[in-house]
Amino acid sequence: MCTCMTYQHYFGRTLDVTHTYDEIITITPRHYPLKFRKASLIKNHYAIIGMAKVVDGYPLYFDATNEKGLSMAGLNFADTQYGTPLPSFDNIAPFEFIPWILSQCHSVENAKKWLQHLQLVQIPFNDQ
């Protein structure tokens, strides 16, 4: 079980597991191209720092913060149901969710606006 907490401007999280995922501190610079399976490529975005497992050059963030101070944690909800891709929505896979939000949003209020056009879709990162 993981614990996530915020207090004023501080954000923290535990990763309470008995094994490693080979996670490392990862920085996604401002102009690093972010590719998404169903959404458009983002070339100009906020810088992101967090804990991630990097696979084939793609940061699979556990949690992260962008340069504006917006933070997210990737928590597991076992019974989550994902939708199917919708036209005129940003169709984002769960592993893309943290970089998609943090690359574009500067505040919680701003993220709420982006979420109105989001559809989380079940797309695995790879076959494994």
Side-chain angles (χ1 to χ4, degrees):
M1 173 192 254
C2 297
T3 303
C4 182
M5 64 179 195
T6 60
Y7 176 72
Q8 294 180 359
H9 299 287
Y10 297 99
F11 171 79
R13 177 188 174 174
T14 63
L15 187 58
D16 300 330
V17 294
T18 58
H19 59 280
T20 181
Y21 292 99
D22 297 323
E23 64 275 2
I24 59 170
I25 296 171
T26 303
I27 297 172
T28 301
R30 284 190 194 120
H31 301 292
Y32 183 84
L34 289 171
K35 298 176 184 175
F36 301 96
R37 301 289 172 88
K38 301 279 183 188
S40 300
L41 174 77
I42 300 175
K43 293 182 183 178
N44 298 312
H45 56 79
Y46 299 126
I48 302 168
I49 186 170
M51 293 301 294
K53 177 176 177 72
V54 179
V55 179
D56 298 330
Y58 195 90
L60 299 170
Y61 280 106
F62 294 82
D63 44 52
T65 300
N66 70 15
E67 66 182 272
K68 298 297 181 180
L70 184 63
S71 301
M72 290 180 72
L75 303 173
N76 185 27
F77 298 97
D79 296 326
T80 302
Q81 298 293 315
Y82 298 102
T84 56
L86 296 174
S88 72
F89 271 69
D90 287 305
N91 296 288
I92 300 297
F95 64 87
E96 300 170 327
F97 186 46
I98 290 176
W100 186 79
I101 287 288
L102 293 183
S103 67
Q104 304 174 96
C105 299
H106 60 274
S107 67
V108 172
E109 288 304 316
N110 185 227
K112 287 179 183 178
K113 292 176 185 173
W114 282 89
L115 290 173
Q116 294 174 13
H117 304 283
L118 169 76
Q119 174 77 333
L120 278 178
V121 294
Q122 183 60 45
I123 300 172
F125 181 73
N126 61 28
D127 293 338
Q128 300 162 350

